[in-house]
Amino acid sequence: MSTAAITLLKILLHGDMHVDEIGKYINLDTNAIERNMQTLNEYLKANNMNVVKKVNNIYSLENKNDGFADFFSKLDVLTSDERIDIYCIRFLLKGYINLEKERQQMGVSRTTAIKDFKRVRELLEKNSIFIESRNSKGIFLKEPNNTKITEILCEKLMKLFAERDFLSKKRRELLEEINILDEKKFVKIYKEIIEAFKMRKSIFTFYAIYSMALIEKHKNILYYESQNIDVKEKSEDIDKRLGELKNLKDISENLKKVIGSIVLKGKYYISSDYPIKKHFNRFSSKIQEVFELNSGETERLENYILSYFAIGYLDKKYGVLWVRKNPYSLKCRRLGEVVENILNELNLEMMYSDVLRLAGAISRFFMEEEYVKGFKILSVSRNLDEEYNERVIKSVKELFPNIEFSYQSFLEFRFNTEEEISEYNLIISDTESYSIKNLRKVNALSGREIQRCLIEFPLDKRFKKSGIL
């Protein structure tokens, strides 16, 4: 089975999906998707599993949670990148590798193994890590321990853990070979760290800590201490507080230092990671330009969306596949297109789900900027149900505690003066509409429709100001 077919299976495990949405996650046209779906179905059928069904260009997979972890663990398909990751992990953990033995385990030709390991050598030399061949003994690291080796190992292990539900046979064997620590223990450690530093939970920070602990089991960790004064002061404070946590009592001092550097990145939204910071600054500048934001708005927006940008950047870097359906609001979809176009213009890649998540964060920021204290909304209905309206108002107030939300029957509303109508910043109505500024027509005064209006109203204003159609 092709790697494209495997990727399609991973996508469909998230739920039913239209062919156009699938195309957002995989670089295939409609015909290529159809061909790979046929290949996938042949494989599933041969393994007595339910096949993918297609109705009105929507693909669906029944019993998608039944036995698929076991299914992936039996697959022998490895991409070149996956083979390179396996070579890297084994080589850097042990300090040497027997390429002939490895290629036999992989089931690839000698030519393929040499070609793959050439890419490993290029990656290492790019990071000033040099290797040497010793006759028939194998290939060895010239300098077994340095900070770059630790960084590359951590990245490769994180990628392995992030995909653990979709690991093929050879990758699962590697995971079982090196995964010798009690994960539950580290979940407790991670939970205590998150609570102590009020950090946002993330698979990246957890697996960074766990991967570094695994590396320490196999070799010495060399910890690089930043010389940046601001970072150093924050780091010293973090190290001090980590020393007070009860679940870290049995952790070595060197590993605590490493955990401190991970907390530093997670706590401050990975601001010490230069590539992310650099790319985020470019993205933020472009958003400021497109939406004509002032410096105050830009600073508030950056604080609001930095974590979403960082997670999107890391998801793509480590190949983590999250799938999210298109938002039902047309304005939200349009904002998603704007964000996607900006990322493409800056040559920044994110998966479609993270593009939508980032766009969603921007739309929520615009909403919070709009719905400040004193903002007044009036709900107008021909069929007024006071009990229902009270419930709607209560739910809306939970989301936006600063706004004033009231309702009227259409009969009352018709006799309002222009002055009374102009008191409201936004009017939502399920009945006939007049040429009233800020009036929004809905099919029914449901919670979903009101939420759509609350999202689209500030987006419309921002789009109009910036000339976005």
Side-chain angles (χ1 to χ4, degrees):
M1 186 165 58
S2 68
T3 54
I6 294 172
T7 303
L8 288 172
L9 177 57
K10 292 177 184 178
I11 291 169
L12 288 175
L13 287 172
H14 290 270
D16 302 348
M17 195 161 297
H18 193 279
V19 65
D20 293 340
E21 290 182 354
I22 292 173
K24 291 280 189 178
Y25 290 93
I26 188 167
N27 190 26
L28 297 174
D29 60 26
T30 304
N31 292 331
I33 289 173
E34 180 65 32
R35 287 196 302 273
N36 278 281
M37 285 294 187
Q38 290 174 1
T39 303
L40 175 59
N41 276 341
E42 289 170 6
Y43 197 95
L44 292 173
K45 195 172 182 180
N47 285 272
N48 299 315
M49 302 184 78
N50 288 334
V51 297
V52 178
K53 294 180 180 178
K54 180 184 177 184
V55 179
N56 297 327
N57 283 327
I58 294 176
Y59 290 94
S60 61
L61 182 64
E62 294 181 9
N63 300 329
K64 43 185 166 283
N65 296 320
D66 184 20
F68 272 99
D70 184 54
F71 170 75
F72 279 104
S73 70
K74 293 175 182 176
L75 288 175
D76 266 333
V77 181
L78 280 174
T79 65
S80 176
D81 287 341
E82 287 171 346
R83 291 195 301 271
I84 286 163
D85 286 349
I86 291 175
Y87 288 141
C88 260
I89 290 171
R90 284 213 175 101
F91 182 43
L92 295 179
L93 276 178
K94 296 177 181 177
Y96 69 91
I97 194 169
N98 186 315
L99 196 55
E100 176 63 21
K101 182 180 176 182
E102 290 294 330
R103 73 104 187 157
Q104 289 177 3
Q105 285 186 346
M106 297 262 197
V108 297
S109 68
R110 186 174 282 103
T111 303
T112 300
I114 291 171
K115 192 183 294 184
D116 286 341
F117 202 78
K118 183 184 177 185
R119 286 180 58 194
V120 174
R121 182 193 292 267
E122 289 170 354
L123 168 68
L124 298 181
E125 288 181 350
K126 185 180 176 182
N127 287 277
S128 301
I129 301 169
F130 301 102
I131 63 180
E132 60 182 354
S133 298
R134 297 180 187 171
N135 299 326
S136 59
K137 293 181 180 180
I139 303 168
F140 291 75
L141 287 168
K142 282 188 175 180
E143 187 184 357
N145 287 304
N146 70 43
T147 55
K148 284 293 181 183
I149 290 175
T150 303
E151 287 174 19
I152 293 172
L153 255 177
C154 185
E155 285 205 357
K156 299 297 183 186
L157 288 172
M158 283 174 66
K159 189 174 181 181
L160 194 66
F161 282 115
E163 274 230 302
R164 68 187 311 166
D165 291 334
F166 303 120
L167 294 181
S168 56
K169 185 178 179 182
K170 293 290 186 292
R171 295 174 79 204
R172 187 165 293 279
E173 286 173 357
L174 175 63
L175 186 66
E176 290 170 355
E177 176 186 321
I178 60 176
N179 190 10
I180 55 175
L181 295 176
D182 182 2
E183 283 189 65
K184 288 184 178 179
K185 173 186 174 182
F186 279 87
V187 168
K188 287 181 181 178
I189 289 172
Y190 183 67
K191 186 179 178 182
E192 188 176 22
I193 290 170
I194 290 296
E195 290 173 354
F197 292 95
K198 295 181 172 56
M199 287 167 55
R200 178 176 174 172
K201 291 180 183 177
S202 160
I203 62 168
F204 300 110
T205 46
F206 172 71
Y207 282 129
I209 292 170
Y210 187 68
S211 296
M212 292 304 288
L214 272 176
I215 294 168
E216 189 188 45
K217 266 289 185 188
H218 291 266
K219 61 195 290 134
N220 293 327
I221 297 177
L222 291 183
Y223 169 70
Y224 173 75
E225 194 167 355
S226 174
Q227 298 305 307
N228 182 295
I229 299 298
D230 292 337
V231 171
K232 198 169 183 181
E233 286 179 359
K234 289 187 176 85
S235 183
E236 288 172 355
D237 178 59
I238 288 171
D239 290 345
K240 181 182 176 182
R241 291 168 67 187
L242 284 174
E244 299 168 356
L245 302 183
K246 65 177 183 179
N247 284 310
L248 272 73
K249 296 297 182 187
D250 298 330
I251 300 295
S252 71
E253 290 303 315
N254 204 38
L255 184 55
K256 280 182 190 175
K257 284 276 188 184
V258 174
I259 291 174
S261 69
I262 295 168
V263 171
L264 178 69
K265 291 184 177 184
K267 172 72 174 173
Y268 298 101
Y269 301 110
I270 320 170
S271 59
S272 59
D273 189 315
Y274 178 67
I276 295 181
K277 186 176 181 180
K278 178 183 70 174
H279 296 322
F280 177 71
N281 288 340
R282 291 165 60 216
F283 177 78
S284 175
S285 295
K286 196 65 184 175
I287 288 287
Q288 181 182 17
E289 177 189 327
V290 169
F291 288 103
E292 299 179 12
L293 306 179
N294 60 42
S295 57
E297 285 179 311
T298 302
E299 185 178 351
R300 292 195 297 274
L301 177 65
E302 286 180 343
N303 292 331
Y304 201 93
I305 66 170
L306 176 54
S307 60
Y308 294 93
F309 183 91
I311 293 297
Y313 177 95
L314 291 169
D315 278 344
K316 184 66 180 179
K317 181 177 180 180
Y318 293 105
V320 180
L321 182 64
W322 308 113
V323 174
R324 176 178 171 181
K325 301 296 182 66
N326 262 317
Y328 67 90
S329 164
L330 292 175
K331 298 296 178 182
C332 284
R333 289 189 212 173
R334 182 69 189 100
L335 181 59
E337 291 170 2
V338 171
V339 170
E340 191 171 26
N341 290 337
I342 290 173
L343 290 168
N344 289 338
E345 185 181 332
L346 299 173
N347 292 317
L348 297 173
E349 287 190 83
M350 283 190 192
M351 283 177 290
Y352 187 49
S353 49
D354 287 309
V355 172
L356 293 179
R357 190 176 290 114
L358 186 54
I362 294 171
S363 69
R364 286 193 297 277
F365 169 77
F366 288 154
M367 290 166 74
E368 289 192 6
E369 291 284 295
E370 185 71 37
Y371 302 128
V372 295
K373 191 171 180 62
F375 190 95
K376 296 178 72 174
I377 299 177
L378 176 65
S379 169
V380 179
S381 177
R382 181 174 292 279
N383 301 308
L384 192 65
D385 180 338
E386 293 202 12
E387 185 182 345
Y388 173 76
N389 276 276
E390 291 290 350
R391 291 203 306 272
V392 170
I393 288 175
K394 186 176 180 181
S395 63
V396 171
K397 290 288 284 184
E398 286 288 329
L399 295 171
F400 304 100
N402 290 327
I403 65 173
E404 296 178 28
F405 198 124
S406 56
Y407 60 88
Q408 283 184 355
S409 70
F410 179 62
L411 181 62
E412 292 175 275
F413 179 70
R414 288 182 65 181
F415 293 102
N416 282 350
T417 64
E418 285 188 21
E419 187 178 348
E420 288 172 320
I421 290 172
S422 65
E423 290 178 4
Y424 297 98
N425 301 96
L426 174 61
I427 299 171
I428 301 171
S429 173
D430 67 352
T431 186
E432 292 89 351
S433 59
Y434 300 99
S435 54
I436 299 171
K437 185 181 178 182
N438 294 343
L439 186 141
R440 297 269 153 167
K441 184 80 163 57
V442 295
N443 295 321
L445 283 171
S446 65
R448 181 184 175 93
E449 283 283 276
I450 289 173
Q451 184 181 13
R452 180 180 60 78
C453 282
L454 292 174
I455 292 171
E456 293 191 344
F457 177 70
L459 286 181
D460 274 339
K461 291 179 70 174
R462 298 283 179 168
F463 287 175
K464 186 176 180 180
K465 182 181 177 182
S466 56
I468 297 172
L469 301 176

